[in-house]
Amino acid sequence: EGALSRLQVLAAHFGTAEASENHPGGIKRHPTLAGAEEPSHQQASVNTPYKARTGITSRREYERLYRQSVEDPAGFWAHVAEGYDWKQKWDTEHMRSNLDLDRGRVSIEWFAGGRTNICHNCLDRHVEGGRGGQACFLWEGNEPGQDAVMTYKQTLDAVCQLSNWLKSVGVKKGDRVALYMPLICELPIAMLACARIGAVHSVIFAGFSAEALAQRVQDCQCRVVITASGGIRGKKTIPLKQIVDDGLKLAEKAGFKAEVCLVFEHPAVPRQKCPWQAARDVWWREAMARQASHCPVEWVGAEDPLFLLYTSGSTGKPKGVLHTTGGYMVMAGCTTKYIFDLQPDDVYWCTADCGWITGHTYLTYGPLLNGAQVVLYEGVPNYPSPGRVWQIVEKYKVRQLYTAPTLIRSLEAHDAHFVTDSDRSSLRILGTVGEPINPRAWDWFNKVVGEGRCPIVDTWWQTETGAAMLTPLPGAWPLRPGCATLPFFGVQPVLLDEKGKEVQGAGEGILCLKAAWPGALRTIYGDHKRFESTYFSTFKGYYFTGDGCRRDEEGYYTITGRVDDVINVSGHRVGTAEVESALQSHDTCAEAAVVGFDHPIKGQGIYAYVVLADGTSASPEVKKALVATVRSQIGAFAAPDSIHFAPGGLPKTRSGKIMRRVLRKIATKEEDQLGDTSTLADPGVVPKLLETRGK
Ligand code: PRX
């Protein structure tokens, strides 16, 4: 194939025309949920007809482009990038990366020399193209009947006002701004307002506790915190401003002081009831009233930071994953377009919160880059009834619905009429992310929700990857329940055995990624060494994902779950070390070890072994106090489901290392598979743990 025809193929697919529109300790398998289910690799293929408007309608077509994307990544992504506005073009040699520690510092650069702005590409570009009157956000409140629409022009005006306010309080390019907000339009608006002026946003999920907030604001040394008086989810009011005040007080004790706190008044907590520090706090409405709705864009370098997002690893405190502007933008836009077949005007709903990476890439940036109408829902999926999600689908005529297996399982547990009572004929594509989806839930999503006519895109990726890495493209090839199928363009997955040798053909191994992709994290904020050692030292030259994976004869990839000490609870990443350190901070706890176990709704639950301090006896009150400690130090979502007091201590090797494999087997009641326990310093610990289980 000649260079010309290659370029033509690329141009046809990615042209500008549419601008208007430490660990490998053995491979752990994710426990099969609901016991009797067949594992996903034994499932039959499902062929759901769908004709993608992107033009990629067959595996052959995909493979042609995929080959180009890995043979000439710089050229491939440059073509994609041309679909966006740039103030200044990138250098000809714009992709400069080194993933191999033996060759020096790990570094990743895309579109080097280029200047752009993601806010401009999400908003101004569409408004300038005559689409300012189109809906940008379709906001649905907690209570049915509470809603609001914001057009692209209105969103741009609101973003400019906030950008102007940020500048008025001295926020400059590169400064960090922390956001701790409910899922109201002002949250993505605040993200975009930071991006517009080159400030770096750090969204802290509003389910995190005051202590978790304190840790994050301190680490990123933000100048400003943006929050709301409160939020409401289901029947629960959340006093967000109170939590921020508590968090900032804790941070102050540790020597960090935020300069300004901007507070949006949410009806859930009226201003009279909101704690206030006049010297620091400012009401959103009053502040915006004084700001002009025009604010010039700061054209930033492609490698200037866009945002920080804290995530959990297998050890230590949360890591501030840093994403930069150009590569992230290009990949967010491109993956959203191809995976969801997203076109301007489509009504698209992603149920994630902006507090997680999915809410960054696939609720905010990706859909807005494509000019879509984005549904934002503030409440919980089962309020006031388990039919709410489907009522929202009917109300807005949602075309693409992207959600998490945990939500699917929780709604599947109810009578099917909750689904079928609502008209779902608008739905064309369904998506899942965040954790392995068990075949039964997949089947329900496919048959009951999608009536067998909507392809399900099971997208595998991570906070660190920035965008989806393994994913079906709708209609292009047969699907299989629980299987993420094939790599996205430019993504080169490899399976490594424990010695670091690449597994060829069908087989199983540790999933790593070879070669850099544009949306990759660039560093861990303030700790490049940790970045290198976490992701690039396990296997030299490869990005280590932490996930186990299987590849079959068709080349399909199926994720088998984490191989490290990270637990995935309802699709939320929880580090066992963080939960352990929270438990250990309580007076009653001498030692703690945390493992994951099979949970019918959450995917994985948290099982904590606790050795009590001398003089403390086991009691339900102590259990409660320990759970409360985790809630207050991390957040409710990380609260252990089970606490198991271990009077005889924890199983340790002679060198003092906790044998987690044994703890996992005891928690999942698989003691017949304990394996070799002869290397334990005290093998007598095991029968004691079995005796005390469930007590
Ligand atoms: O274990 C994988 C699981 O979620 C982890 C990444 O978590 P986080 O950074 O919070 O990002 C979640 C949203 C992108 C992965 O290492 N995971 C994510 N998607 C899938 C998945 N496991 C199986 N199948 C998926 N589709």
Side-chain angles (χ1 to χ4, degrees), residues 358 434-436 458-463 547 559 562 568 573:
T358 309
E435 46 174 327
D458 177 352
T459 60
W460 172 87
W461 57 296
Q462 309 177 303
T463 305
D547 280 307
I559 301 294
R562 301 283 308 196
N568 221 315
R573 231 162 111 170

Side-chain angles (χ1 to χ4, degrees), residues 338-527:
Y338 285 87
I339 297 169
F340 297 102
D341 190 29
L342 191 68
Q343 304 279 325
D345 299 341
D346 281 359
V347 178
Y348 164 97
W349 183 20
C350 164
T351 64
D353 189 282
C354 286
W356 308 103
I357 190 70
T358 309
H360 284 60
T361 310
Y362 297 112
L363 182 57
T364 308
Y365 292 118
L368 297 187
L369 285 166
N370 286 284
Q373 309 186 53
V374 180
V375 175
L376 279 184
Y377 172 46
E378 185 183 358
V380 289
N382 58 359
Y383 178 83
S385 85
R388 186 70 187 276
V389 166
W390 320 115
Q391 289 158 8
I392 296 174
V393 166
E394 175 178 318
K395 176 172 173 181
Y396 296 100
K397 299 195 168 44
V398 172
R399 183 182 170 101
Q400 296 94 344
L401 173 67
Y402 190 31
T403 190
T406 188
L407 179 138
I408 297 167
R409 287 189 296 264
S410 73
L411 297 181
E412 179 202 356
H414 299 278
D415 196 284
H417 83 79
F418 284 110
V419 184
T420 53
D421 284 352
S422 298
D423 177 10
R424 286 151 291 115
S425 57
S426 61
L427 285 174
R428 289 288 179 280
I429 293 173
L430 301 172
T432 82
V433 60
E435 46 174 327
I437 180 163
N438 51 307
R440 201 192 63 215
W442 195 98
D443 223 45
W444 182 84
F445 201 33
N446 178 38
K447 292 198 180 120
V448 180
V449 175
E451 298 166 326
R453 54 180 181 77
C454 305
I456 298 180
V457 288
D458 177 352
T459 60
W460 172 87
W461 57 296
Q462 309 177 303
T463 305
E464 294 87 340
T465 67
M469 301 276 103
L470 300 174
T471 176
L473 294 184
W477 52 80
L479 305 169
R480 199 164 333 112
C483 177
T485 72
L486 299 170
F488 192 77
F489 303 120
V491 175
Q492 300 188 48
V494 292
L495 303 182
L496 299 184
D497 66 19
E498 286 167 35
K499 294 196 184 78
K501 235 178 99 226
E502 286 189 21
V503 175
Q504 303 297 330
E508 196 165 338
I510 292 161
L511 178 64
C512 290
L513 301 169
K514 191 159 74 171
W517 61 99
L521 81 165
R522 301 303 199 252
T523 191
I524 289 174
Y525 187 69
D527 198 348

Side-chain angles (χ1 to χ4, degrees), residues 92-110:
T92 34
E93 300 280 318
H94 67 84
M95 180 207 154
R96 306 167 187 148
S97 303
N98 171 42
L99 305 189
D100 189 348
L101 270 172
D102 285 346
R103 289 204 269 139
R105 189 176 189 272
V106 174
S107 68
I108 302 169
E109 270 184 31
W110 286 89

Side-chain angles (χ1 to χ4, degrees), residues 33-164:
L33 288 154
E37 279 186 65
E38 295 287 340
S40 63
H41 63 285
Q42 287 171 19
Q43 299 283 318
S45 296
V46 179
N47 213 339
T48 313
Y50 179 89
K51 200 161 184 307
R53 296 163 296 175
T54 55
I56 301 183
T57 52
S58 69
R59 182 157 175 183
R60 246 185 83 213
E61 184 61 16
Y62 152 82
E63 269 166 6
R64 217 154 96 97
L65 282 168
Y66 179 78
R67 229 174 300 126
Q68 293 173 18
S69 74
V70 297
E71 281 167 8
D72 175 20
F76 179 90
W77 288 111
H79 274 278
V80 181
E82 274 160 11
Y84 300 93
D85 288 350
W86 295 75
K87 186 70 179 169
Q88 189 179 308
K89 248 333 227 319
W90 47 89
D91 305 342
T92 34
E93 300 280 318
H94 67 84
M95 180 207 154
R96 306 167 187 148
S97 303
N98 171 42
L99 305 189
D100 189 348
L101 270 172
D102 285 346
R103 289 204 269 139
R105 189 176 189 272
V106 174
S107 68
I108 302 169
E109 270 184 31
W110 286 89
F111 308 111
R115 298 192 86 73
T116 187
N117 183 288
I118 196 169
C119 175
H120 166 91
N121 277 292
C122 284
L123 301 176
D124 307 52
R125 192 168 53 113
H126 305 308
V127 173
E128 288 163 11
R131 299 177 57 247
Q134 192 214 278
C136 174
F137 294 123
L138 303 165
W139 178 78
E140 171 83 0
N142 187 57
E143 302 300 326
Q146 249 181 355
D147 51 32
V149 177
M150 281 189 87
T151 65
Y152 270 84
K153 174 71 169 77
Q154 287 168 332
T155 307
L156 175 59
D157 289 352
V159 164
C160 286
Q161 286 186 313
L162 183 54
S163 294
N164 282 329

